[in-house]
Amino acid sequence: MADVDGITECLTTAFFHDPLPAFPDVSLRAMQASTMWRQYATSALRYPWTLVTEGVEAVAVWIPPGGSELGPEEQAGMRDLLLRTMKSEDVKAIFKIYEQLEAALPEEPYFYLTLLGVHDRHRGHGIVMHLLRESLERIDTLGAPAYLESSNPVNIARYVSAGFTPRDEIEIATGHVVTTMWRPGR
């Protein structure tokens, strides 16, 4: 089983400067984000689709067709979990984003790349793209499509190079845009 502490740290540093302002208070961001990433990582490990590099420098968290990011108990407790470290209005904003993203999900079965990140100390070495390619090779053996949401416009070209095409753009309340992307089964 993967190292949840390592995955949490990797994701916390990977998304610390993400343009999507889910955690607006920079002084609290690492603590708040790590609380959420730990919950998502722990829940995703119930599927055999969380891939990590040997030293947990990069993480790819996939949810298989028909799966969910959080189990029923984690889903029911997420609001309270976030309220322990965040203001109520910030939690409401996160849940509004969740609603918008959920409304855009494709209807057909797909593998969902819910989280892809590289630890801040290992950026720029192609590690995360290698992990993405390895993930997609495994999915391709099943002939399944893949779906993701990109909150960082810099990453769009990277995903296109891996076979994804932009599908929709979702504008959140702050004006930031999240791009949904699709890769047909191969």
Side-chain angles (χ1 to χ4, degrees):
M1 180 141 311
D3 174 9
V4 173
D5 290 338
I7 291 171
T8 301
E9 180 183 344
C10 180
L11 293 171
T12 300
T13 68
F15 289 98
F16 190 84
H17 296 291
D18 191 81
L20 190 65
F23 306 101
D25 186 338
V26 176
S27 68
L28 298 174
R29 184 176 295 157
M31 182 264 303
Q32 293 169 335
S34 68
T35 298
M36 188 172 80
W37 298 140
R38 177 176 301 282
Q39 183 79 330
Y40 276 95
T42 301
S43 186
L45 289 174
R46 70 190 189 279
Y47 304 118
W49 287 95
T50 297
L51 283 73
V52 298
T53 55
E54 188 175 326
V56 197
E57 299 89 355
V59 178
V61 178
W62 291 91
I63 305 301
S68 62
E69 289 181 279
L70 297 172
E73 287 182 24
E74 291 99 352
Q75 183 67 37
M78 181 57 84
R79 186 177 302 276
D80 289 338
L81 179 73
L82 294 176
L83 282 170
R84 291 182 202 141
T85 63
M86 300 177 70
K87 296 177 188 173
S88 177
E89 61 266 17
D90 292 336
V91 173
K92 285 179 187 174
I94 286 175
F95 273 81
K96 176 63 178 166
I97 294 168
Y98 285 168
E99 289 171 14
Q100 290 179 272
L101 297 177
E102 189 172 322
L105 292 173
E107 290 185 22
E108 68 185 271
Y110 55 89
F111 274 86
Y112 177 29
L113 180 59
T114 181
L115 294 165
L116 178 69
V118 63
H119 195 289
D120 210 32
R121 290 189 308 258
H122 300 281
R123 287 188 193 280
H125 301 290
I127 298 169
V128 79
M129 289 306 292
H130 176 75
L131 191 59
L132 177 61
R133 283 189 296 277
E134 181 183 328
S135 302
L136 290 170
E137 287 173 9
R138 292 178 184 197
I139 291 168
D140 287 346
T141 65
L142 302 173
Y147 173 81
L148 63 82
E149 299 136 349
S150 179
S151 57
N152 191 338
V154 170
N155 293 330
I156 302 297
R158 292 181 180 116
Y159 293 130
V160 167
S161 75
F164 286 88
T165 56
R167 189 170 179 264
D168 289 312
E169 289 188 343
I170 302 166
E171 185 173 339
I172 65 165
T174 59
H176 291 81
V177 173
V178 176
T179 303
T180 66
M181 303 189 78
W182 182 259
R183 183 178 186 267
R186 298 186 177 180

